[in-house]
Amino acid sequence: MATVNLPRGRTLHLGSPLIMGILNVTPDSFSDGGRFYQTDSAVIQAQTLLTDGATILDIGGESTRPGAPDVSLDEELNRVIPAIKAIRSHSDTVLSDCVISIDTSKSEVMRQALLAGADMINDVRALQEPGALDVASKFDDIAICLMHMQGQPRTMQSNPQYDDLMTDINRFFMQRVSVCEGAGIKREQLILDPGFGFGKSMAHNYELLKRFGEFNLFDLPVLAGLSRKSMIGNLLNRNTKERLAGSLAGALIAAQNGAKIIRVHDVKETADVLAVWQACEQGISNEQ
Ligand code: 8Y7
């Protein structure tokens, strides 16, 4: 069974797919709620995601949606670091022992998040921003998710083109794995992700989903993130609130095609879908 080591002697067991719950720490709509409110609500969200069945919390303070505004370093730090510290120091061990992933491309956010107790870096820019590789190489046993993106968030969805989709993405993985290894990062720390919606047309996204199993050629765990994305919304003509069923179908197909981590908003529903699939795959003993 595939395992990934984590700080503090812990391990991610990837025999059956794990759920990564999305925890966005962005200003609430009542902007006078203040920082304490922001951190409190992150802790409450974390509790819900974990009790619903998430193994990993993916904490992010910057939106990477196409066209989203850039967030300054200070603002991103002010959002995510207090949230990580509050979760890590919580009296409930469900929170304090959970696996925390920091969703960022900024090396200083990575560094402070890892010092505050994060176990994993989730970088949509695959450690290509200045200093990122260096920070990642200085922390032992952290997990690192390297995601493929073509172009930059602001413009990536305007007519993305590939010579050969699967070959291009696999070549990118090969290069990034080799650069990471060159920087002293162990191969066993790495997780790959083809990056649904990041410089991909609808046709590209569905080809990636169908052929998800082909990314196993690196013998590294592969993560799938398609929860509520345009590939669901545009196909079904549904707004973001109406994309649950489509997202669940996508999660199941990714899992059946070998995804080891599924990054989702709707943890409880995804956990149910995966449990039904697992019951079928592994069987149920008659005593149960
Ligand atoms: C992904 C992601 C986003 C993804 C990984 C959204 C931060 C856009 N998507 N990270 N992040 N994979 N690894 O709609 O697909 O959630 S942000």
Side-chain angles (χ1 to χ4, degrees), residues 64 103 122 124 145 147 193 198 223 225 229 263:
T64 22
D103 158 19
N122 176 30
V124 300
C145 181
M147 199 197 77
D193 180 349
F198 284 84
L223 183 152
K229 283 187 177 173
R263 181 181 180 275

Side-chain angles (χ1 to χ4, degrees), residues 20 22 24 58 62-66 103 122-124 145-147 193 195-198 223-229 263 265:
M20 170 186 262
I22 299 170
N24 286 320
D58 191 34
E62 181 199 23
S63 181
T64 22
R65 276 179 296 109
D103 158 19
N122 176 30
D123 184 4
V124 300
C145 181
L146 302 171
M147 199 197 77
D193 180 349
F196 288 106
F198 284 84
L223 183 152
L226 44 74
S227 182
R228 300 185 190 170
K229 283 187 177 173
R263 181 181 180 275
H265 302 86

